[in-house]
Amino acid sequence: MNVRVLHIELKRSVAPWAGVVVLTTALAFLYLLSGSWWTGTTAWTAQWTSMALWTRSVLFYLWPLAVGLGALQGLRDHRSKMSELLTSTPRPARHRAATLAGTTAITLASAFALLVLVGAVQVVANTQYTHLGWLPISLVGALSLVAGAVLGMGAGRALPSVLTPPALAMGAFVFVALMQMSLGRTETITATGFPSTEPNRVSLLSPAVQEVRDVLVTLSASVHVGQTIWLLGMAATGFALLVAATPRARLIALTPVLAGAVIALLVLPSDPRRMYVVDQAAAELVCDGPVCVTKTQQARLADLAGPGKEALRLLHDALGGQAPASVRENTAVLPRGSTPQWSRRTVLFDFDDDVIAAAKGGELTRALIAKGMVPGCSPVGWSSFGGDEFARTIAVGWVLGDLRPLPGTLPAGLRHEVDAETRPVWKELKALPRAEQLSRINAMRTAALSCEGDAFDALNGGASR
């Protein structure tokens, strides 16, 4: 297909409009709607992998749009009543199909590339960690739009009806929704007793990905390979339907997509831990003495090093030999609903933690002491309010010698509740001999770090409040 043919095809097809719709609706979704793609370390403009995954996540509605627009394109010959005329020309049907499919493929791939470019320009300004591990995620995303559109064209040619485009678009949307909500999820009961769902192998047939929960998480190589096989089979079926002239040929044309699905399911991992995996290069630690962060957050090490070392010094003065010896960004990625895992010798923190995220300057020292004393035992992905917050406030006050609210985003009402619950226990603790205070603090830390028992009760001498 030369430039002249491409120019003519662009003028007489819906391909340019398909590209415009994909790009503008995606940008409108990401910029005009408020969501988790704008907050914390996993914001879509914060890191390369997060950007790639968030732009893939909007395929939950872009892909059905591409399928429907492709079907509309496939109806062109039928609408113009030229089908019989074109079949009588000496030009092979595959040439006409390649021109039709190629034009739409170029515009959709270009639109998705521009979407990624908009995010990439902002990521460059927000991170020092550069890598190419995100590229396969975006390439598969672009391929999914192309494959969906070509499949829609083929279906529109095989089923020439005005109802075909909306029916295909709705069917594609239902497929993606089922993959993300029910058919593509497996429910499990975690060790904490909370129900949780995890993606299964079938869910990976959807072009969209799940919400980005951790900046260190990426898709495994086997997922890229399996999805590429499936999408190539889909595109092959769409192209075969475009050139098929008989009912038998149309049935045979379904072979690539069926074979692609079977092979993809054999290649795609069945274990959720091998679908979304930790990027080991991104999780590599960069340290300033005992204070370490991951490569993705290395730009923040300079601001963290001083408060981190000061927090370790204060903890050592208060706890002696029981104090932690290092501060490190937490690189463990646990299933949603599982019990957090903490270390007695290391202060593990997350930049997205409410206390850490709200701390600035000297307050960061208090926040790190809080994470070293009572890191929190809410199941992963859940939020709660209660004993951990009370115990954490008292523990930091005990280390620093003054009881005051920690950095955070608690509303005034909850701050008042924290003060009402903690002040009586604080006064009782401070009235005890030093040895008894240390005994209760150590009991509190044992409960807080193991997530067994109640840390606030331990501070109160084991009495339930």
Side-chain angles (χ1 to χ4, degrees):
M1 182 171 58
N2 58 38
V3 176
R4 180 172 173 272
V5 172
L6 175 63
H7 180 68
I8 294 173
E9 192 64 30
L10 285 173
K11 289 197 300 183
R12 63 194 293 265
S13 72
V14 300
W17 293 107
V20 170
V21 168
V22 165
L23 179 60
T24 55
T25 57
L27 290 175
F29 183 92
L30 291 171
Y31 278 101
L32 301 182
L33 298 181
S34 178
S36 51
W37 51 88
W38 273 118
T39 60
T41 59
T42 58
W44 83 287
T45 57
Q47 298 290 341
W48 291 102
T49 300
S50 299
M51 180 272 295
L53 289 172
W54 279 120
T55 50
R56 275 284 298 276
S57 70
V58 297
L59 291 178
F60 82 91
Y61 76 90
L62 290 183
W63 187 71
L65 270 178
V67 173
L69 290 169
L72 186 62
Q73 179 81 317
L75 289 177
R76 187 180 65 183
D77 293 346
H78 176 74
R79 292 197 310 269
S80 59
K81 298 180 171 45
M82 292 179 58
S83 300
E84 293 185 7
L85 175 62
L86 291 174
T87 56
S88 65
T89 62
R91 189 184 182 192
R94 64 179 181 275
H95 288 183
R96 296 194 304 273
T99 301
L100 183 68
T103 305
T104 304
I106 290 172
T107 55
L108 288 176
S110 299
F112 193 77
L114 285 173
L115 173 65
V116 171
L117 181 62
V118 170
V121 169
Q122 297 172 87
V123 171
V124 168
N126 291 332
T127 184
Q128 294 180 0
Y129 178 58
T130 303
H131 63 103
L132 294 177
W134 61 274
L135 196 54
I137 302 173
S138 295
L139 289 176
V140 173
L143 177 60
S144 68
L145 288 176
V146 171
V150 175
L151 180 66
M153 289 180 210
R157 179 69 62 83
L159 302 170
S161 168
V162 293
L163 298 178
T164 299
L168 281 178
M170 183 56 67
F173 183 78
V174 170
F175 170 77
V176 173
L178 290 176
M179 291 300 100
Q180 292 190 313
M181 292 190 302
S182 56
L183 292 181
R185 310 288 295 185
T186 301
E187 183 170 314
T188 58
I189 303 297
T190 63
T192 57
F194 291 102
S196 177
T197 63
E198 294 180 316
N200 57 37
R201 184 173 7 206
V202 176
S203 71
L204 298 176
L205 295 179
S206 168
V209 298
Q210 67 180 12
E211 182 177 302
V212 185
R213 291 197 301 112
D214 196 292
V215 70
L216 300 178
V217 168
T218 187
L219 291 170
S220 66
S222 56
V223 171
H224 298 320
V225 173
Q227 290 181 334
T228 299
I229 292 172
W230 156 241
L231 293 171
L232 289 176
M234 185 187 300
T237 286
F239 189 81
L241 287 172
L242 275 175
V243 300
T246 64
R248 184 171 180 272
R250 294 187 182 105
L251 285 176
I252 295 175
L254 299 177
T255 303
V257 71
L258 296 176
V262 172
I263 297 173
L265 290 174
L266 294 175
V267 173
L268 293 170
S270 58
D271 186 348
R273 290 170 296 183
R274 292 176 52 231
M275 299 175 188
Y276 293 87
V277 298
V278 174
D279 185 340
Q280 297 299 331
E284 186 178 334
L285 295 178
V286 179
C287 300
D288 182 343
V291 181
C292 301
V293 298
T294 62
K295 272 192 172 181
T296 59
Q297 304 297 338
Q298 57 189 355
R300 305 173 76 165
L301 179 59
D303 294 333
L304 183 74
K309 294 173 183 176
E310 178 65 9
L312 291 176
R313 184 188 68 78
L314 292 169
L315 286 169
H316 184 269
D317 291 345
L319 299 173
Q322 297 296 316
S326 62
V327 173
R328 177 168 61 83
E329 184 181 353
N330 194 0
T331 58
V333 179
L334 302 175
R336 187 178 179 87
S338 59
T339 302
Q341 298 175 3
W342 306 114
S343 168
R344 184 175 288 274
R345 300 299 298 165
T346 302
V347 178
L348 297 174
F349 72 94
D350 190 320
F351 283 109
D352 285 331
D353 181 271
D354 286 344
V355 175
I356 298 294
K360 305 295 180 184
E363 289 294 298
L364 189 53
T365 298
R366 291 178 62 87
L368 290 171
I369 292 173
K371 297 302 291 183
M373 297 294 280
V374 184
C377 288
S378 297
V380 175
W382 295 65
S383 61
S384 63
F385 175 80
D388 281 348
E389 284 71 27
F390 304 151
R392 185 180 297 131
T393 301
I394 294 174
V396 176
W398 182 81
V399 172
L400 297 177
D402 64 328
L403 184 70
R404 57 191 178 92
L406 290 170
T409 56
L410 289 178
L414 292 182
R415 284 180 177 269
H416 177 75
E417 183 179 346
V418 170
D419 185 71
E421 290 286 341
T422 57
R423 195 158 294 279
V425 179
W426 162 257
K427 291 180 178 178
E428 178 185 337
L429 179 67
K430 293 297 288 184
L432 297 173
R434 177 70 182 181
E436 178 62 21
Q437 291 182 34
L438 187 58
S439 175
R440 290 197 181 187
I441 289 292
N442 284 332
M444 176 211 69
R445 288 193 74 219
T446 298
L449 295 172
S450 65
C451 291
E452 296 177 1
D454 191 296
F456 190 48
D457 281 351
L459 277 179
N460 199 29
S464 178
R465 293 181 62 84

